[in-house]
Amino acid sequence: MKKKRLLQLTATLALLLLPLTGVMAQGSDAVKCMVLKQSDGTVSSFALREAPVVSYEDANIVVSCGEQTFSTPLAGIDTWTFEDIPTAIQAIPDESGKPSFSYGTISGLAPGSAISIHSIDGKTLRSLKADSHGHATIDLSQWGHGVFIVRTPNRSFKIKK
């Protein structure tokens, strides 16, 4: 009984102090969330966009925030934390130095790099090499409609014709 009361008090206190920390981290695309880790391995996160209201009904913890309400048995909760969870792309991977494919031309290859064209069932249809500028032109007109895989030394492309 003491453990349950301590959990209730801790959750209530943490949720009351949450508005003081700011719901969104300034300058980032993250939302403050309450993350519940349950004893069955389930992890649930609840976005706290507004000041949350915590209540207890029967043996459940109920968190209401704006129009959203979340309820789960208190006994099944192992831990809960408050985390900034990203809501958008944080960084675009650096693709420089990798080949690119556009309008039938592969560019960005090392001169003489091997290129192969495969059918969707894995058959090699054609092999060629990049020119002295690291470019290669792919002509799929000799094959019917379908999906083709173009492989380079460090990247593959799927092409639908």
Side-chain angles (χ1 to χ4, degrees), residues 43-101:
V43 177
S44 303
S45 57
F46 185 76
L48 303 172
R49 298 188 191 281
E50 300 172 17
V53 176
V54 178
S55 60
Y56 303 96
E57 294 176 7
D58 299 322
N60 294 332
I61 182 171
V62 180
V63 180
S64 299
C65 193
E67 295 180 15
Q68 295 179 320
T69 300
F70 178 78
S71 177
T72 189
L74 188 59
I77 298 174
D78 279 344
T79 61
W80 65 72
T81 56
F82 297 94
E83 301 175 14
D84 289 326
I85 297 182
T87 60
I89 297 172
Q90 297 298 304
I92 298 173
D94 182 11
E95 295 285 325
S96 62
K98 289 188 176 181
S100 62
F101 183 81

Side-chain angles (χ1 to χ4, degrees), residues 26-55:
Q26 296 297 321
S28 72
D29 294 326
V31 172
K32 183 66 81 177
C33 292
M34 178 175 151
V35 180
L36 300 170
K37 295 178 183 168
Q38 297 173 304
S39 54
D40 66 358
T42 304
V43 177
S44 303
S45 57
F46 185 76
L48 303 172
R49 298 188 191 281
E50 300 172 17
V53 176
V54 178
S55 60

Side-chain angles (χ1 to χ4, degrees), residues 139-148 159-161:
D139 180 15
L140 300 176
S141 64
Q142 58 193 335
W143 299 292
H145 292 286
V147 177
F148 301 91
I159 301 168
K160 185 177 178 182
K161 177 183 165 197

